[in-house]
Amino acid sequence: MASVTSLGLHHPTALPYLIEEGLLPAEPSADRYRWTTFLGGEKADEAEEEELLVTETCVVWSQRGLVRKVFRFEVENEAVAHAVLTRFPTHESSRHWSTTETSSTAAPSPTDPSDADGGLSRAVVVFLQTQAHVYFLSGASHVVHLPFEVDRVLPVSRGLFIQRKLPSTLATPASAPFMGPPPGAPPNSLASSRLPSSQAEVASFTGGHTGPDGLDLVPGPAPLDRGHDIPRSFCLTDPLLEMGLVVTAETLPRARSTTARGPGQGSSRLEDLHPAEELVYISPASELASFGPNDPLLLALTVNEQTKKYTLWHVSYLEPESAATLSKYRTASASGAASRRRSSFGHGATTGTTTPAGFGGTATRDSLGAASHPDAGALLAETVEDDALVSSLNVDLAFAGGGGPAKESRRVSSLLARADLSTTQDKVAFSDLATGHAASSSAVHPGASRRGESLGSVGVGGRSSFGASAGGQRRGSTPVGRHHLSGHDGNASQVPVDDLLEELNAGGSFEGFEHMGLHDPVGGLRKEIVMKKMETWPRGAPVDGALEDTGLHKKATKVFTLVPPPSATSSASLAASVVMAVMDPQSKTLVMVTIHLKHPRAAARRQYGSLQSRQAPADRTKRTVVPTLGEVWRGTGVLDAAKIVDRTLSRLLVLRQTDDGHGELSLRGLAGEAIRVDLPPHLAVFDLYRLGAGAAGAARRDGGLRRVFRKGRRVLRGLEHGGTDGDVDVLDEQGHRHRLKIQLRARQGHIGQMLDICRCILPGRERGGDGVLTGWWEVRRWLRDRGTTGQDDEWTALVVLLMVMAVPFVPNRDERPAVNTPTRRTGLLRSSSGAHLDLESWTTMLSYDGRHGSPGPAWMSSPAWRWVAEEAEDEPAVSFPDSKRRSRASWTTGARSFPPAATTSALNQKNSFLLDCVGWARDFLRSSAGKAATGDRGYLPTARGRHAGCRRTALPTILVGLHLFREELKLDVTTADAPDSDVARLTPVLAQIGGWLGWREWSGRTPSYYSAEDVAMDRWLFNDGLITQLDVPDPPFPPPSIYDWCSACAQPVAPAPFTTLPDLVDVGPRTNRPSTMPEFWRTLTPRTPILIDLFLHMHVAGLSSAGLVQKMADLGVGKPLLDTLPEGIVAPLLEAMVNCQADPPTSWNAAMLELIGREDLRLLLSPLDEPAESARPQSIPTHEAARDVHTICSTTFDAEPSGSVEGAAEMDRQAITRLIFRDDRRFAEAARLVQSSRTSVARCAPEPDWTEADLLEAQKEVAQTVAMRTLAVPAGRGPLSFRARHPLLTERFPIPGFNLSCVMRPSHNTVSADKSSFTEEKVGWAFFHAGVAAGLSIARDATGIDASWIVFNKPAELSNRHAGFLLALGLNGHLKALAKWVAFKYLTPKHTMTSIGLLLGLSASYLGTMDTLVTKLLSVHVSRMLPPGAAELNLSPLTQTTGIMGLGLLYCQTQHRRMSEVMLSEIEHIDEEDASTPSDAVRDEGYRLAAGFALGLINLGKGQDLKGLHDMHLVERLLGIAVGTKKVSIVHVLDKSTAAATMATALIFMKSHDAAVARKIDVPDTLVQFDYVRPDLFLLRTVARHLIMWHDMRPTARWIREHVPRAFQHRATLREIHSLRSEDLPFFNIVAGLCFSLALRHAGSGSLEVRDMLRPYLDQYIRLCRLPAVNYDQKLTRSTVRNCQDLLALSCATVMAGTGDLAVFRRLRSLHGRTDPETPYGSHLAAHVAIGVLFLGGGTYTFGTTPLATAALLCAFYPLFPNAILDNKSHLQAFRHFWALAVEARCIVAREADSSRPVSIPLSISLRAGPVLRRTAPCLLPPLDEVRSIATASPDHWRVVLDFARNPAHLAAFERSQTILVRQHAAYDASASVFRTTLRALHDTETARHPLEWLLDLSIFQTFDRAERALVLPPDAATGAGGAASASSAALDMESALVDARLIFEHASLDEGKADRLRNLKCLFDWADRADRERREHARHTERGGEAAKGEEEAGEGEGGEREDTGRRQRKEREDGVHRRWITPEVIDRLRARVWLACQSEE
């Protein structure tokens, strides 16, 4: 047996804590607490030992010996009854299981929650007597009220299995640990129903007939006992849902009705689990993880005390989505010859106010996914369905054919227990349902009648049966599942008898009223778990004394499950098996039942456990687990049992009774075989291996930590707490729990894997594979008892075991007997064996330091210690005194010396380890253990009792299997190269076995495979015998070598299949494709199948780099594998990766990019894995100051504090802006122009006749004008600093103010404006714009902008600045986090500006969402939305205007009819003439214009598809207002609506090209009609016309001339106008409208053609504005011209948005310099907005041309600008910021992948139309829908290609971050030319010298050129070498591996004396030759068809470039074939020369 170690006494981890807290006394007895240990963990495959310690008021969860969580319940006044750990669905996954209403297109349910990663979270559930507390370990908690007392609760794979207390067991037993009677049922539970008066009887789940009185909320007498009428077993699968039922199915359902009877059909029904069945065990997770989450194997065991029988069940979940699937198919069922439809009635068919009602016959339950099944026909043909299952899933299915809304599944039992039922009527209704008041008071026992519980007792209306079998047709008059629901109380008289009469008339069968579900008290509970009976066996009679109280707890039945190894069965019809062990303490029997599982079918029929397959999209079929029972083993006289787990091994530890009463421990295998386990001679008191033992343990350590119990046998009473690593507790007669560690699995090296291989390649009981592990245990124990142990006792035991299987058949010759030196236990102990060591002996040290199976110590085999042997051969023995220096050749101790000959002999002596093992094997065979292992009933594969065929092939099979494992180990250089590795130790053992078998090539004789493996093979002593007493087979093949096979793949001839482990088991032809190898074989040899697939791919497909890397990614090859593969094998793989590294295909995913080392591209596709420093650029350290003293002092008086924003983020934005505008200071000048907190500068030249007073007065006037200009500046600062900042959440966000001082030149005196004229009340909109500008500077992705931060920034008094700040937050989408109460708090004071900002901000944040809450907020601010007769709103007209526009944004592009009607009515509104009332001041032109914009936004671009708005005559009514004639009496009113109707028409028909509407909305045809149109409307109608005819616009002067009226065409350029006349007003507006339309059409395009077309018109308007205006007519004309000038300035800026175009900026700068008093506020506003738009977002943003963007720009730049600061008559100034809705992020930024610094890099941008643009990043891109691909064109960086056309992931990644990561490549990869790479390396290092460069002078690096040396020591970034930082990071792992590989090839392959090194080199040469052959073939192909290929590539470019990348990559691969990049041809030629010279020297 394996080693058994005593770990001391085992105590609960939390016991010291509870004692310290006073919850338990100092030395508590065992009945004061309950202690449970189990194997758990966050992941299902990582088992950890966990504990739950339960007291009366406390539960403690511990993990890994540490207290993790404590739950206390003193305040509940209830004792803790149960505590368990289970898994529940998380919040996201539980919504799929919950019954909340969802969309009918809801996503399918998640995978089965038995999967730990399938959306499950672990939770501790504590059951009191009236409630259960659910504590998720992640932090959340829930309380579930219980309608009954819980008797037993067990965790299942998802949730809990609960059994209530039966009435007969409710009385508290005397032996219960907790005192006090159970409390009464809560007032809102079923037990509190008012029943007829009776004596108090304790009942947990009761019912009775009480009539319609309902619940009695006053505590009264206990109800009558109806406990047996109610199910006992329930389940809780989600704490947010109600409890469900557990039902049983005797047979698999076969029919579509609940009781289908027909020829050959049985009866299948779902029944409640019988109350007498007491649950003993249920699988807490899938018993077989290999079957996956789609097919969990769940088992359960129950015991029936009445029948004294155990029952084994197969458990499965009923999934919710199954109901929706089957309900769709029921419509196809019909009545015919088959069984007809029966109607069933539920009791209490009435509903209460909360009872769900039926829904329409065609409706399906939304939350169940009602989408049609794509394979409905196939499902109906091949699946077996049962309506009993359908009716059991959910109460909603009972109403599948009714009429009414779908309600959710309400679990009635728990609903009654919930405290949130607020009305008495609700409780009465649910009480009647749950307690069955409408039924008879007599209960029907489930087992006493033919039917038992009604099969269809679902929902409020009881059971509903559905359509019969296929072939019949359901009557259309009776919908499926239809119920008659009324508002009456639940009486039996209300049973819908019409259905019954209808069914009887139709000929349906009627089975009596007792089967109609009238007595079902829990009809509302959904059936969730179904159990199918598998087997039943008797429990057995109790044994005398079995139930005696031993002072501990009474023992309950224990159940364990054991999983055999994956290949333990050889039957093709079985996939796996599970052994269930049942330990019955009453009968002292142990029953082990084997459960076999059939192979899952590819398209299995649906099983009762899940009605609908839930699989991955790629797999439309579900595997079905079909369990069948196998053999049963029964043992008697068993006292106790426990399962122990040691990593992957699990066994059953059994305690059997003995005659002396002490008990005996043994390990039981899967077939019941017993292996004795001996206790250690001394049992420790304390655990020396535990770090902390707690306060209680420390207090008892006075006697020392090594205290042990007295020696002697102990009386064993029980086994408990089986844990991980083989830990288990053994109880003695004194109640002590002794913790033991029983080692089942090897710990050293790969011994455990070797044993696993032996088990797997000898599968089944008949071949004895499991016996190998048993034999290893026994041999190891025998060696330990014998005293033959050493440092590697596990390896020695394995070798001896292999010898044991061979030496019985080898004649015993005179080999040297085994050495068995008795051990002394005195002196220094170096191991557990107690061997005494002579530390003064050099030979002893060498022999002991060498591991068993190695010729000597590992350190002596290292080249660093060769001088020991070399000098020992030359120097004689010398002895020196202690005082003198000792020579390295003489190792002395004191005056003693050891001769060098000892060293030499120790290194050269023969190793006799194999002969020793042979002797030990013969000794073992003579022992009793050996005879038991190899006898007639032996367990070893070569035992005499085995079949002759198995005996003769066992040892050869093991030999080949271990050889294949050795080849696997050779593929890992970290283990294969060590001199003491398992590869080196396994070689002589396999050679010995091969020699015994007589296989010459497998032996150690020369020549053979093993003899040439290592020069150390000459030092081994072998046994020369042969197996003669057994007929062994001939060798099937020579020893396969993975190196030779990989070399053979490089040859043109296909290699023979490489032998793998499955080939040793499966009989059939071998194949070279291990892709179908089962997973458990891959875990044993993971590398071999991968290499086979890769090299076969290379052999067939050639050395195509892209294809090979794709294959590597498909096989899961990663960096850990590549780093440890041998250099010769990995060479072609790395060569392919290096070739693809520079230019990978654009279709590759993130995993493939990571594989080739392109982290820059991988981070682009995987933003979640981006480094945290991506937004924190790191600058190169420098001593130059960033700011001098003057700069610091200049910021002293800045109004904005410097610590209010995150400096790093703003610095990053500034760095990008500096790179964009790197050629001049234009951006700095623009930022200065829009700065409002700095002192302005103006010029006021004095006249000669002015006095100082006159000069001062003139300067004050100029200062007033400049102050007006300053107030207009913030509107331009908003776009310039758009989304540039990340605020600090701990600081208030600053809003800059205004500096109204002005420095007058040339006098240079400062003059301040009159502040009384600029108070916040008078210039409120200026402060509003300042707030908007500050808020827009916050980045959209800024974190922490929530309601608390917004309230934190709220001023004490609401201000205009904060109002604008709220609008800006909404425009950036941050107001979605605003809480409802905060919004109401803002709106309550009715602060006009705040209301405007908040309402518009909320509307923008919820753009197009139709959010209900925001709709309500907006509606109460609009008079038209109030109900008729409502009082007038006491709100500002501006607020109501805001509400109208807000509704348009909220319902944008929704075509909402009601909102459209409201907006149209507001446009058409006509005031009633009443002289006594003032005119309507609300519906002014600005209000109506907002309504027009809102109507246009609601129906934006929907003019061709108005859907339900046709009957509104929307177009006719709008055109009638916009261009129609009007009555003279109301013309003054409708003129206010003309602009609104025009804008609404333009937005509705935008881009529709409706020529009729465009013609009607256009300007009049004749000049006579011009007199009837307001001049400004010409501009609007022109814009409207061309927005409709979007694609007809052309940026040419001819196009403008054609669309100007004929009378003005000769003056279309405006150059001929030299005076201002009012007759030209229509002409000016028409030309401005044409220019504005072109600007909107080309917004953000940066088109120089459009700019050059608009710029002359801007110049002409500026010229016209400067013409003198003397009279009123000229001044009126100049006002219009100025308006057109401002619009042209905005138009030019719109086209060139974000570009900072100098030509446009010069003109805008001149507009900023205006200080004349004639310039109004609106003109300054437009000019500064244009400046900000020109530098939008610092050059990182631009405008789009989507319909919404165009509408937003039209609203923001509406061509009527305010005349004063408070002017909102024509257009609300808050709408001027809607340009933020048109912004698009199209600035591509290149960053260094390592430092995240933005860099400048050239780009090549290919458009879909064909042209290729050359730009330098960072820069603005054209619209993304016009871009085909973007590629970097820098010779110093890796090429990055974003293919938007063929890889949607690239487009999505760019839209997410607008960033590409670039990385400089090393000089070695810069070019294939040696000259170029050397030149590049010299350039990188010309300015700096690495401090470790002296290392390159070593001889080992002499053959390296400059570029290769740069890989060893890359240039130091800190030295400031140009480009060094990136070059250093570009030295990737593959290039580092190149250096290592070259050193190994050149200096280790020929010197170590290992054959694998030479094979490794040969593999490299063969693949290099293969590459040369392919290169020559490519060259010949190029010569023959070069011209054809060139024409083909040109044709590919003409087709859109689809084949351009392929052709370029093929050319590059051919070039790479000429110049190999990873290992160059020069290196390979040098290696060939060294090999040739070595061969010549040997000859």
Side-chain angles (χ1 to χ4, degrees), residues 872-909:
E873 295 176 356
D874 301 332
E875 298 183 11
V878 181
S879 177
F880 294 96
D882 293 342
S883 59
K884 293 187 177 182
R885 186 179 173 210
R886 300 170 184 175
S887 171
R888 294 185 304 174
S890 177
W891 296 79
T892 64
T893 302
R896 296 180 57 189
S897 65
F898 297 90
T903 304
T904 305
S905 60
L907 293 176
N908 297 326
Q909 64 181 351

Side-chain angles (χ1 to χ4, degrees), residues 1867 1875-1888 1906-1907 1910:
F1875 174 76
R1876 292 182 181 179
T1877 56
T1878 304
L1879 189 64
R1880 168 69 185 279
L1882 288 172
H1883 174 268
D1884 289 342
T1885 58
E1886 63 181 358
T1887 59
R1906 278 279 183 178

Side-chain angles (χ1 to χ4, degrees), residues 675-695:
I675 303 172
R676 181 171 55 87
V677 176
D678 297 328
L679 293 180
H682 298 283
L683 295 178
V685 177
F686 301 109
D687 186 0
L688 300 179
Y689 305 96
R690 190 174 181 180
L691 295 179

